[in-house]
Every structure is written in structure tokens, then in C-alpha cells.
Amino acid sequence: DEFDNIYAILVTKNNNKVFLIQNVDKLKVDIKDFRQLLSKPFERPADQDLYNKISLRIFQTLFPTPEIRKQIKNKQLLILPDNQLHHIPFEALITDQNSGEYLIQQSEISYGYSMSFLFHNNGIPRKAKYGFIGFSPVKFGYDALNPLSWSGFELDNISKILNGKTIKQEEATKDRYLDQSNKYTIIHLATHSNSGKEPWIAFRNSKLAIGELYNTKSNADLIFLSSCNRSEERRVLKKI
């Protein structure tokens, strides 16, 4: 999980630029400290000050010149990170010491796995008929999974914005998901899940195992998994 050199490629509509990231050893330390600071709430003003300092330094290292920073400002920024850079939220980077502004405040950010994957993914024909659908089992009758009382409320509010369909309670079964998932461009799952050795997503009657998920055909542009594994909360955003 180590790296010795980092080359960055900045691709815009009118220009491509390749540059070498400097001070890699210091960047490794900063990334480790940055993740540690993000792992718990700040307890003192000094914690916020340290976060701002390290966050700004990471930003200035990865986007090292005023020219590069100008090119990404107020743009739709697609980031394809590698190695340890996968572990940091770029939107949480501080871009200016005086204003304390975050990168998310000046750029619309999304992530990709690889450029070749994006080209391949964009070439896949999709035939979804409808827009948004959300699933929320709320209660589960197996494996001592706790109820998620607010998940139905979550779906209702999203559906109002996107004018979509919600499937909740007893109707939010695995079979219903498998039957409906290929008909919608946006899918929201508010449920339990596990990303361990045997990943799964919980529905009202049973779990959807990782093997079943890989074999599921989907026409969705976006699947959002808003999930909780008992007391441990997770938020996972997956672009298909």
C-alpha cells in the first residue's frame, strides 16, 4: 500500500497536462494524519486548526500551481485516485488558508475507477423506463437486525424531490428489488448491509448476497446505498 512517485494527469476540454507530485514522503504522513483527524469529532479548536493546516497542505501538494488550481475551480471535477489517494475525501480539502473554503464549495466533485472503465461504461446501452425508485424494509425478521425507523422518512423526502416511487415495509423484499431494479435510472437503498468477507444487502425477507448482486442486471446510472450495520453506520455511493 506504498508508493514512491505520483504522477498526476489533468485533462480538460482544451488541454492535457502531466506533472510529478513533489514531497511524496510528506504526503504519505499527511494522508495518514488527515484520515485520523476525520475519524472522530474535533474536541478542541486546536484540532480544527491542525485539520485545516494538513488539509490545505494536501491540496497544495496534489494541485501544486496557481494555473492548475484555476483550471479546476468552478468546474465539474472527476477524480480518478490511486493507491492511498483512494482513502481521502477530496471534497473535504481546504483550498484557501484565509477563507477556510473547502474544495466542494468551489467544484462539483465525482469519482471514477479508471478512464478505461468510464469509456466502457458510457458505451453500455441502458433502457430504463423510469427515474427514481427507493427501497426501505424498515424492519427485519432475521439475524437480529435492528429496525431503521427513519429510513422510510428518508425515502419519502427523496421521492418528493425526484418525483419517484418508494417501496417500503413488507413490500421491500429481495424478489421485488430484483424484479424492479432494471427499470429505473436511480436506485436508493435505505437498509442494513455488510461489507466484510461475505458482503450482503438486507431486504425485508432475506439478504442479497454479493454473488447475486454481481449477476443482477441493472440499467441504473446511479445506485445509492444508505446503510447501517447495527450500530455501525456506513454511507456508500456507487456509480454503475
Side-chain angles (χ1 to χ4, degrees):
D1 201 29
E2 294 292 328
F3 51 84
D4 296 319
N5 296 291
I6 301 177
Y7 287 90
I9 306 174
L10 177 65
V11 180
T12 67
K13 183 178 180 180
N14 301 315
N15 185 38
N16 299 327
K17 182 179 180 63
V18 180
F19 54 95
L20 178 66
I21 299 297
Q22 304 293 329
N23 302 318
V24 172
D25 289 337
K26 180 59 178 175
L27 177 62
K28 294 177 186 179
V29 176
D30 283 344
I31 290 175
K32 181 180 178 181
D33 293 341
F34 183 62
R35 294 181 63 195
Q36 181 65 31
L37 286 166
L38 287 171
S39 68
K40 59 183 179 180
F42 299 148
E43 297 178 353
R44 304 165 301 168
D47 294 333
Q48 179 71 65
D49 293 340
L50 180 60
Y51 174 89
N52 290 355
K53 181 179 179 180
I54 294 175
S55 177
L56 177 63
R57 192 160 58 226
I58 293 175
F59 174 77
Q60 292 174 338
T61 301
L62 296 177
F63 305 95
T65 67
E67 176 191 3
I68 292 172
R69 295 168 200 161
K70 181 179 179 180
Q71 289 189 25
I72 67 171
K73 191 171 184 178
N74 300 321
K75 299 292 193 331
Q76 291 180 328
L77 187 60
L78 174 62
I79 298 174
L80 284 74
D82 194 15
N83 208 287
Q84 294 181 25
L85 297 178
H86 276 295
H87 304 309
I88 63 171
F90 280 72
E91 48 270 271
L93 295 178
I94 296 290
T95 63
D96 182 82
Q97 182 176 4
N98 296 322
S99 67
E101 186 175 65
Y102 294 95
L103 184 56
I104 189 62
Q105 294 176 266
Q106 67 176 41
S107 301
E108 179 182 327
I109 299 173
S110 60
Y111 296 89
Y113 297 104
S114 70
M115 190 61 70
S116 57
F117 171 82
L118 289 175
F119 283 129
H120 172 75
N121 187 52
N122 290 335
I124 298 175
R126 291 183 168 85
K127 302 178 181 179
K129 293 183 179 180
Y130 309 108
F132 172 85
I133 187 170
F135 291 82
S136 173
V138 181
K139 296 181 180 179
F140 310 84
Y142 56 92
D143 288 0
L145 296 175
N146 294 331
L148 299 174
S149 302
W150 288 95
S151 59
F153 178 77
E154 174 184 332
L155 278 194
D156 290 339
N157 279 276
I158 295 172
S159 183
K160 288 178 183 178
I161 297 172
L162 299 179
N163 192 27
K165 180 178 181 180
T166 61
I167 298 179
K168 299 182 291 184
Q169 301 280 358
E170 293 86 355
E171 296 183 354
T173 64
K174 180 173 74 172
D175 291 339
R176 189 76 181 275
Y177 170 76
L178 294 174
D179 178 65
Q180 296 289 313
S181 61
N182 66 341
K183 301 176 183 178
Y184 291 83
T185 58
I186 301 175
I187 301 172
H188 186 98
L189 304 176
T191 182
H192 284 290
S193 72
N194 192 327
S195 59
K197 293 182 179 180
E198 297 181 2
W200 49 262
I201 300 172
F203 289 87
R204 181 74 177 214
N205 58 332
S206 61
K207 298 174 181 177
L208 180 68
I210 188 66
E212 296 174 292
L213 184 62
Y214 282 149
N215 291 320
T216 301
K217 293 184 178 179
S218 173
N219 287 308
D221 292 320
L222 176 68
I223 297 178
F224 192 89
L225 176 59
S226 174
S227 70
C228 177
N229 186 1
R230 297 181 184 174
S231 63
E232 182 180 357
E233 294 187 357
R234 294 185 177 89
R235 291 291 182 267
V236 181
L237 181 64
K238 179 181 179 183
K239 275 196 171 181
I240 303 298

